[in-house]
């Protein structure tokens, strides 16, 4: 069996509070120089793409702006259009919501980015049923949670109809879409872009999210905390592809991870522990726990035990934050972990609430990443560094060469489009769920 190659991408950190703000090396979250530095580093490391998150409203916690999150989030496609001018090969992925946009306008923006970048555009399709975020928009929180994926599926199908309305030889044609969520007709204004369709990324982990990914996505931005959990998720999503006429190679699964390097294993562990402490101050620990328990915990000692009270099933203390899933089940899991290991509130949040970390020497990290891919727990990884914008430098300088020596990672870009970097087939429109 041939060796599986690792795919790598980079996530500009901050939106989900993963950056160490107080570190002297931490720079601006909104100045273009920060985006350019991370993008150039990722391209130097031969990464597939750079991934930007989206924030449509400043989050609030107990009625106040959440001061532990990013305040000030530039619009992603604008930033990526500028990055197209300072990179040559790197894919450019923007997170854009299907709930608060319209297919024609968004299809036009992504087709334009694909032209401007020479075929490097990607769209991370996200949904929302959040009325709090919706207050920033004319329609408000009109969308029932049960409808978010049906709208997203029809939105994506409509966008693909628009992209395909121009013939391969450059002639425009009419389009008409009649559906539950959209009823539009006319002519698309942008010719077919270099990729035909931008690459589509999806990040949902629910059953409906997995089905949407199997039917419509090219890349899944996943989150799992162990090799075995990764293998289970990987097998589940890949097995769903056949019903949509797709093969396992048509969809890449790339969990988001952090990496902490040291000259020795002990040094790396010490550094990782310090990063986690910096990211999870006593205040952060209490507010994170409040998001799970759904009640005010300000009277509790963050260095004391977890609260001996039942969590609220549908917490609303934090507005505008992505739902963590079944918060009651999460609370039970965290409480069990705390009892088993004798952990305080802060220690529990540090151990249970963080992103998956690969910690060790460059060789050990390279070995572990390679094992995840060879054992089909992932096709690659989206690295989320803890520093902006230099947090990717060490990985590119120290780990990428080791992966190349193993034959597990490319030594040069072989194509010009993001689809070619990812080894994806030409786009087809079939099998989308409705």
């Amino acid at each position: 069996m041939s060796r599986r190659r690792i795919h790598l991408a980079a996530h500009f950190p901050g939106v989900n509070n993963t950056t160490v703000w107080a570190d002297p090396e931490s720079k601006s979250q909104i100045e273009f120089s920060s985006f350019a530095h991370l993008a150039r580093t990722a391209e130097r490391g031969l990464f597939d793409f750079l991934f930007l998150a989206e924030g449509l409203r400043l989050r609030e916690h107990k009625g106040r702006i959440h001061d532990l999150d990013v305040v000030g989030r530039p619009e992603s496609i604008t930033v990526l259009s500028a990055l197209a001018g300072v990179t040559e090969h790197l894919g450019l992925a923007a997170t854009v919501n299907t709930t608060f946009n319209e297919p024609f306008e968004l299809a036009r923006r992504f087709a334009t980015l694909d032209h401007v970048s020479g075929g490097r555009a990607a769209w991370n399709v996200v949904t929302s049923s959040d009325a709090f975020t919706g207050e920033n928009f004319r329609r408000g929180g009109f969308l029932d949670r049960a409808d978010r994926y049906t709208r997203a599926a029809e939105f994506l199908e409509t966008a693909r109809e628009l992209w395909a309305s121009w013939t391969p030889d450059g002639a425009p044609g009419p389009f008409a879409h009649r559906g539950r969520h959209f009823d539009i007709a006319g002519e698309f204004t942008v010719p077919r872009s270099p990729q035909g369709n931008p690459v589509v990324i999806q990040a949902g982990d629910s059953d409906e999210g997995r089905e949407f990914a199997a039917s419509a996505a090219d890349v899944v931005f996943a989150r799992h905390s162990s090799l075995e959990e990764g293998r289970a998720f990987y097998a589940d999503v890949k097995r769903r592809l056949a019903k949509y006429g797709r093969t396992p190679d048509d969809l890449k699964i790339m969990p988001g991870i952090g990496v902490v390097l040291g000259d020795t294993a002990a040094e790396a562990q010490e550094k990782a522990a310090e990063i986690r402490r910096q990211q999870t101050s006593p205040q952060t620990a209490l507010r994170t726990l409040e998001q799970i328990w759904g009640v005010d915990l300000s009277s509790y000692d963050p260095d004391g035990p977890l609260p001996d009270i039942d969590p609220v099933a549908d917490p609303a203390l934090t507005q505008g934050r992505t739902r963590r899933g079944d918060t009651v089940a999460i609370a039970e899991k965290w409480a069990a972990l705390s009892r088993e290991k004798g952990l305080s509130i802060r220690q529990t949040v540090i151990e249970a609430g963080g992103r998956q970390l690969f910690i060790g020497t460059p060789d050990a990290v390279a070995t572990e990443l390679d094992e995840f891919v060879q054992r089909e727990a992932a096709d690659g990884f989206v690295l989320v560094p803890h520093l902006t914008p230099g947090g990717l430098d060490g990985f590119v300088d120290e780990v990428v060469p080791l992966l190349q020596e193993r034959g597990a990672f490319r030594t040069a870009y072989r194509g010009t489009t993001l689809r070619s970097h990812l080894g994806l087939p030409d786009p087809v429109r079939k099998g989308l769920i409705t």
Side-chain angles (χ1 to χ4, degrees), residues 61-62 286-298:
H61 186 77
K62 294 193 285 190
L286 283 178
R287 293 191 177 183
T288 301
L289 205 69
E290 287 176 337
Q291 293 168 15
I292 301 298
W293 256 256
V295 295
D296 188 329
L297 301 175
S298 57

Side-chain angles (χ1 to χ4, degrees), residues 78-245:
T78 303
V79 174
L80 294 176
S81 296
L83 290 176
V86 299
T87 57
E88 295 181 9
H89 302 282
L90 186 69
L92 305 167
T95 303
V96 185
N97 197 297
T98 60
T99 305
F100 304 116
N101 287 283
E102 294 297 324
F104 182 93
E105 190 271 341
L106 194 56
R108 186 166 61 103
R109 291 166 62 200
F110 272 109
T112 301
L113 177 61
D114 210 42
H115 277 288
V116 167
S117 64
R120 297 186 278 140
W123 173 18
N124 179 37
V125 180
V126 296
T127 65
S128 177
S129 59
D130 182 9
F132 172 79
T133 301
E135 290 176 357
N136 275 355
F137 297 85
R138 176 176 58 84
R139 297 188 180 193
F142 74 98
L143 187 66
D144 289 337
R145 182 171 178 81
D147 291 335
R148 59 186 184 136
Y149 277 112
T150 59
R151 178 183 167 95
E154 188 179 338
F155 193 117
L156 179 54
E157 172 65 7
T158 306
R160 284 174 165 161
E161 290 171 3
L162 296 171
W163 291 326
S165 64
W166 283 64
T167 65
D169 59 0
F175 69 84
H177 180 92
R178 304 281 187 265
R180 175 185 173 189
H181 295 278
F182 307 106
D183 184 351
I184 59 175
E187 290 185 351
F188 194 51
T189 58
V190 185
R192 287 176 67 89
S193 63
Q195 294 187 109
N197 293 356
V199 168
V200 171
I201 305 171
Q202 193 271 341
D205 188 40
S206 65
D207 186 72
E208 58 186 351
R210 296 182 187 201
E211 200 69 19
F212 179 63
S215 70
D218 300 306
V219 177
V220 175
F221 182 39
R223 179 172 182 169
H224 39 68
S225 58
S226 70
L227 176 66
E228 291 310 313
E229 287 183 7
R231 294 188 70 195
F233 177 87
Y234 188 97
D236 178 64
V237 174
K238 295 278 187 171
R239 71 170 175 78
R240 299 172 189 245
L241 293 166
K243 77 172 83 171
Y244 301 106

Side-chain angles (χ1 to χ4, degrees), residues 13-21 29 58-61 64-71 73 278-291 318 321 324 349:
V15 168
N16 291 310
N17 192 34
T18 55
T19 295
V20 176
W21 311 107
Q29 295 283 327
L58 298 178
R59 296 164 183 168
E60 294 182 6
H61 186 77
R64 301 180 61 185
I65 297 296
H66 199 308
D67 60 355
L68 301 176
D69 206 353
V70 175
V71 176
R73 302 170 184 166
Q278 287 181 291
Q279 289 174 326
T280 311
S281 67
Q283 179 190 32
T284 300
L286 283 178
R287 293 191 177 183
T288 301
L289 205 69
E290 287 176 337
Q291 293 168 15
T318 300
R321 188 174 183 86
R324 290 175 175 265
V349 172

Side-chain angles (χ1 to χ4, degrees), residues 238-260:
K238 295 278 187 171
R239 71 170 175 78
R240 299 172 189 245
L241 293 166
K243 77 172 83 171
Y244 301 106
R246 308 180 70 196
T247 72
D249 290 337
D250 292 346
L251 178 68
K252 307 303 180 185
I253 295 177
M254 301 177 66
I257 64 167
V259 171
V260 181

Side-chain angles (χ1 to χ4, degrees), residues 13-50:
V15 168
N16 291 310
N17 192 34
T18 55
T19 295
V20 176
W21 311 107
D23 194 293
E25 295 183 21
S26 181
K27 307 300 181 186
S28 173
Q29 295 283 327
I30 60 174
E31 291 179 6
F32 182 68
S33 59
S34 291
F35 293 96
H37 181 107
L38 194 70
R40 287 172 171 143
T41 304
E43 185 162 84
R44 179 164 58 84
L46 304 176
F47 280 38
D48 291 343
F49 60 89
L50 172 68

